[in-house]
């Protein structure tokens, strides 16, 4: 079977969920060979092997943390040259897309970004993309070079598929550009203790109906009682009530949790684009005609200031 390079997104050896989803997709089109770089790279091997990596190529060097993406591109290119894969898959994060684009230019290949599905085709992998706020889907394949494809989080299930996952050291020599852009400071975002929005199994979101930053506390209380992440509509973000990093939708993040609870959100197409693939959708809205109700599995017509605290209380009471 052809080998498929999978770029590993990890934090000090802890593999992030979108990479495990990439392994599921990679197995559909070939044998996944994972490329893990930086601090803790070798610690990723066990989890990657459990999810189908036949091989894990690792490299660690100070350049990966001291400089921006170019050292990582150098390493991914070295892996590409060592393996001659049939495709290269990269998570669709901001960094992942930059790495993928630079690699595609270097190896003279076409690139597809933000795929939401991937299947084998007669002439190479076929990627599905969602366009115009999910009104259309397109299917494309790369017709020049080795396909480089970035895939959005939550596009595939995480599947256990034990494989050898043999660890091999990747020899990397950095080019002149690698040290061109230095990281001068890193400021970790203050931890909320909540799961990452795009990876959370449950998301509780608030919209304009929340009516003020100070009222987001009731959304957070429900989220915390469920172990959920907090999302927000663009109206709430634009009003300055919640950070942009929590925005769900076309110009925010795409989420696909098991449960999405929308409170005081009307259900505009741009919001739907980021959450309509959620497995179960619940909306709380005082307007029975709100378009969000066309989409939901369970709808509550009511004032969120009554409903949300009651829901939190109920969840808490069931915890025993
Ligand atoms: P509204 O549409 O104003 O709805 C508020 C809802 O709250 C209403 O349905 C109301 O009945 C209900 N409500 C009010 N008070 C209460 C209460 N006390 N209890 C219960 N319900 C109550 N939007 C996004 O969300 N994400 C995006 O990424 C995004 N990208 C965009 C990109 C472009 C190019 C454009 C043009 C728009 C984009 N938008 C996006 C904006 C989008 O069109 C909507 O304006 C936005 O989603 C509306 O947010 P909302 O539902 O919170 O507010």
């Amino acid at each position: 079977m052809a080998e498929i390079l999978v770029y590993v997104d990890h934090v000090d050896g802890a593999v992030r969920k979108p990479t495990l989803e990439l392994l599921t997709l990679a197995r559909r089109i070939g044998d996944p060979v994972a490329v893990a770089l930086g601090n803790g790279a070798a610690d990723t091997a066990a989890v990657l092997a459990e999810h189908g990596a036949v091989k894990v190529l690792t490299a660690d060097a100070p350049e990966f943390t001291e400089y921006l993406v170019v050292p990582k591109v150098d390493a991914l290119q070295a892996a590409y040259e060592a393996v001659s894969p049939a495709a290269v898959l990269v998570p669709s994060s901001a960094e992942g897309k930059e790495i993928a684009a630079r690699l595609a230019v270097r190896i003279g290949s076409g690139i597809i970004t933000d795929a939401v599905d991937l299947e084998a085709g007669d002439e190479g992998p076929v990627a599905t993309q969602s366009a115009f706020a999910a009104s259309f889907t397109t299917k494309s394949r790369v017709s020049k070079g080795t396909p480089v494809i970035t895939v959005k989080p939550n596009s595939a299930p995480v599947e256990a598929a034990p494989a050898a996952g043999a660890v091999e050291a990747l020899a990397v020599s950095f080019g002149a550009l690698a040290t061109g852009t230095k990281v001068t400071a890193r400021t970790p975002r203050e931890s909320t203790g909540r799961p990452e929005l795009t990876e959370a199994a449950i998301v509780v979101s608030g919209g304009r109906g929340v009516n003020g930053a100070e009222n987001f506390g009731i959304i957070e209380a429900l989220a915390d009682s469920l172990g959920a992440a907090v999302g927000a509509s663009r109206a709430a973000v634009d009003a300055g009530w919640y950070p942009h990093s929590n925005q769900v939708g076309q110009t925010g993040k795409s989420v696909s949790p098991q449960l999405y609870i929308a409170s005081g959100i009307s259900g505009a197409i741009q919001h739907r684009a980021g959450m309509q693939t959620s497995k179960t959708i619940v909306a709380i809205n005082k307007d029975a005609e709100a378009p969000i109700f066309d989409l939901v599995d369970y709808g509550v017509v009511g004032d969120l200031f009554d409903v949300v605290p009651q829901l939190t209380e109920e969840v808490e009471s069931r915890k025993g």
Side-chain angles (χ1 to χ4, degrees), residues 17 20-25 27-28 154-160:
K17 186 166 155 259
L20 303 180
E21 296 164 10
L22 280 192
L23 289 171
T24 301
L25 295 176
R27 285 189 298 108
R28 290 186 193 164
N154 294 310
S155 295
V158 172
E159 291 172 357

Side-chain angles (χ1 to χ4, degrees), residues 208 233-234 247-251 264 266 270-271 285 303-304:
R208 202 193 307 270
S233 73
R234 179 162 159 181
Q247 184 179 314
V248 171
Q250 185 185 332
T251 45
S266 62
Q270 296 89 354
H271 188 79
N285 196 305
D303 189 322
L304 70 90

Side-chain angles (χ1 to χ4, degrees), residues 207-220:
R208 202 193 307 270
V210 175
N211 201 26
E214 64 284 5
N215 299 331
F216 256 86
I218 62 167
I219 304 295
E220 291 178 334

Side-chain angles (χ1 to χ4, degrees), residues 26-145:
R27 285 189 298 108
R28 290 186 193 164
I29 56 175
D31 285 332
V33 174
V35 182
L37 307 173
N39 185 37
D43 300 338
T44 63
V47 168
L48 297 170
E50 276 165 31
H51 294 87
V54 296
K55 208 187 291 175
V56 182
L57 304 178
T58 64
D60 192 8
E63 281 82 350
F64 294 128
T65 39
E66 286 175 15
Y67 298 90
L68 290 184
V69 297
V70 180
K72 293 173 182 165
V73 183
D74 287 347
L76 190 56
Q77 186 176 2
Y80 167 83
E81 282 159 8
V83 171
S84 298
V88 182
L89 306 186
V90 182
S92 266
S93 59
E95 181 180 87
K97 283 196 268 194
E98 185 174 350
I99 291 170
R102 286 173 179 266
L103 178 75
V105 170
R106 288 189 186 189
I107 65 176
S109 286
I111 180 170
I112 295 172
T113 56
D114 288 339
V116 294
D117 202 5
L118 201 60
E119 60 198 307
D122 293 340
E123 296 171 87
V126 176
T128 304
Q129 288 163 297
S130 172
F132 295 116
S135 308
F136 295 91
T137 56
T138 61
K139 285 185 183 279
S140 331
R141 68 176 176 80
V142 168
S143 56
K144 182 169 182 282

